[in-house]
Amino acid sequence: MQRCGGVRVKGASTPRTRAPICRALPQEKKAMYSGTSVSPPTEGKHFLHLDDFTREELLDMLERGAYAKKKFYARDESFKPFAGRTMAMIFTKPSARTRVSFETIGKREPTKDIARVLSGYNDVIMARLFGHDDLMELAQYSSVPVINGLTDYNHPCQIMADVLTITEVKGRFEGVKVAYVGDGNNMVHSFLRLAARIPYEFVCICPPGYEPDADTVALAKAAGVSDVTVTSDRNAVRGADVIYTDVWASMGQKDTLEKKMRDFAIYQVNEDLMALAGPQCTFMHCLPAERGLETVDAVMESKASVVFQQAENRMHAQNGIMLHCLA
């Protein structure tokens, strides 16, 4: 059993790459990225944004993930869909659940060259980067599927794990109300782009000045699939099936934490906010959590919290993504 990009992959062999390669250059955020604008791999599909796929394709990935989870718990050693496959993992951003590297794409050689070299060694590439433009260039020149492990713009793998978790806990995802409380960051962009494909109610509750990318909000609303709201009113959590939060200052933004602690003080997900949502509300966090800031122990460790089930489902959801993308 090997961990690949935060996913334990049954039957995968060790990637035939030496040092993972990274880039640490934050780039200007863009709103209207589309995976359909890059060259497709020779076989399979890239996984860059949730709305690059149809509703049916997203549900297929989730079904495959749920099936892989059943096989994992059954300890079915005959289930080895990745046997003989290799994965290259590229890191800019560190993660407690993935291997860490500090080298730089584009410093030794261009991203497009790296893409073509790694494509010759591996069946799939997972990249966890700062700049979304780097991800797009990587996919453009890769002949194998590229999976978005996270960028400053979005984090689609996490959202797929969240949808799997909500489905397990609530018995459904379509039609639920998800209230995100905090910074309008890459998590929010992913929820918004999901809202363009699968119908649910999404409310982003953030302090003034911390709203998500306006074009991405417009994209989600224009799709006419989901009910999407961006507000600074904490009362918008009322009736939520899920309250979701993230750290106030993401990687590379820690110098802004002092100001954010003032601006976000009333947006902490604490017992009072959970009570305002109602007894039906489940608490979720993509981790790592800054306990005492965006949330508190009394919520993290409560019966309403499913953060560790959510964390485990990263493995299963990502297996489903890889099964789909590798065709």
Side-chain angles (χ1 to χ4, degrees):
M1 196 75 77
Q2 180 188 353
R3 286 192 179 275
C4 292
V7 193
R8 280 183 288 178
V9 182
K10 293 176 75 72
S13 57
T14 303
R16 289 166 287 176
T17 54
R18 294 184 179 178
I21 304 148
C22 311
R23 184 170 192 154
L25 298 175
Q27 302 207 4
E28 181 182 355
K29 179 172 63 177
K30 293 184 179 180
M32 305 301 285
Y33 291 110
S34 172
T36 61
S37 66
V38 302
S39 300
T42 303
E43 294 183 1
K45 296 180 180 180
H46 298 308
F47 184 79
L48 308 177
H49 322 93
L50 293 172
D51 57 330
D52 294 338
F53 300 92
T54 65
R55 170 184 174 275
E56 290 70 28
E57 286 176 314
L58 292 172
L59 294 178
D60 176 72
M61 292 181 216
L62 291 167
E63 289 175 4
R64 289 170 185 256
Y67 181 76
K69 184 174 184 177
K70 288 180 181 179
K71 291 293 187 179
F72 176 79
Y73 274 98
R75 297 296 188 264
D76 184 351
E77 294 299 326
S78 68
F79 182 67
K80 297 180 179 180
F82 304 116
R85 303 274 193 165
T86 62
M87 169 184 278
M89 297 184 292
I90 305 174
F91 292 90
T92 294
K93 292 195 175 191
S95 171
R97 287 161 292 279
T98 51
R99 282 181 273 179
V100 179
S101 176
F102 298 98
E103 291 192 28
T104 305
I105 288 180
K107 184 174 181 180
R108 291 173 51 197
E109 51 190 307
T111 303
K112 60 186 178 182
D113 292 356
I114 293 296
R116 286 174 281 196
V117 169
L118 293 184
S119 297
Y121 295 159
N122 299 277
D123 300 290
V124 62
I125 298 171
M126 187 287 298
R128 182 180 175 94
L129 309 174
F130 281 93
H132 199 79
D133 285 333
D134 291 337
L135 178 78
M136 299 297 284
E137 184 176 357
L138 191 69
Q140 177 67 45
Y141 289 94
S142 174
S143 61
V144 301
V146 171
I147 294 176
N148 179 358
L150 176 146
T151 69
D152 278 347
Y153 176 70
N154 69 341
H155 195 359
C157 285
Q158 178 64 58
I159 297 297
M160 292 295 280
D162 299 337
V163 174
L164 180 59
T165 305
I166 292 169
T167 303
E168 290 175 343
V169 173
K170 302 294 183 182
R172 74 192 199 286
F173 179 78
E174 295 189 3
V176 302
K177 178 178 179 179
V178 177
Y180 177 95
V181 183
D183 194 10
N185 60 13
N186 52 2
M187 292 302 306
V188 177
H189 296 156
S190 295
F191 272 120
L192 288 168
R193 297 189 73 149
L194 176 70
R197 291 292 180 265
I198 297 180
Y200 72 110
E201 183 178 357
F202 180 63
V203 182
C204 175
I205 304 165
C206 56
Y210 293 94
E211 294 85 0
D213 177 80
D215 287 341
T216 305
V217 175
L219 179 152
K221 290 184 175 182
V225 174
S226 300
D227 184 359
V228 173
T229 303
V230 178
T231 181
S232 60
D233 185 2
R234 294 169 67 252
N235 289 307
V237 302
R238 293 183 186 275
D241 297 290
V242 172
I243 285 183
Y244 198 114
T245 194
D246 190 6
V247 292
W248 290 343
S250 299
M251 298 176 199
Q253 301 175 348
K254 296 304 181 184
D255 57 330
T256 68
L257 182 57
E258 186 174 339
K259 182 178 187 300
K260 286 188 172 182
M261 287 175 66
R262 298 191 298 269
D263 294 344
F264 284 75
I266 66 168
Y267 295 91
Q268 182 185 73
V269 181
N270 51 32
E271 292 167 291
D272 290 341
L273 196 68
M274 292 294 294
L276 183 62
Q280 79 292 333
C281 189
T282 295
F283 174 71
M284 300 181 75
H285 193 305
C286 53
L287 299 180
E290 296 279 355
R291 300 180 187 222
L293 293 181
E294 74 273 5
T295 191
V296 294
D297 272 351
V299 173
M300 281 282 291
E301 302 296 341
S302 71
K303 291 182 179 179
S305 174
V306 294
V307 295
F308 299 109
Q309 179 179 347
Q310 183 186 357
E312 179 193 336
N313 278 338
R314 279 286 298 277
M315 176 177 70
H316 307 302
Q318 289 170 184
N319 279 337
I321 291 166
M322 287 191 291
L323 286 167
H324 183 92
C325 291
L326 287 168

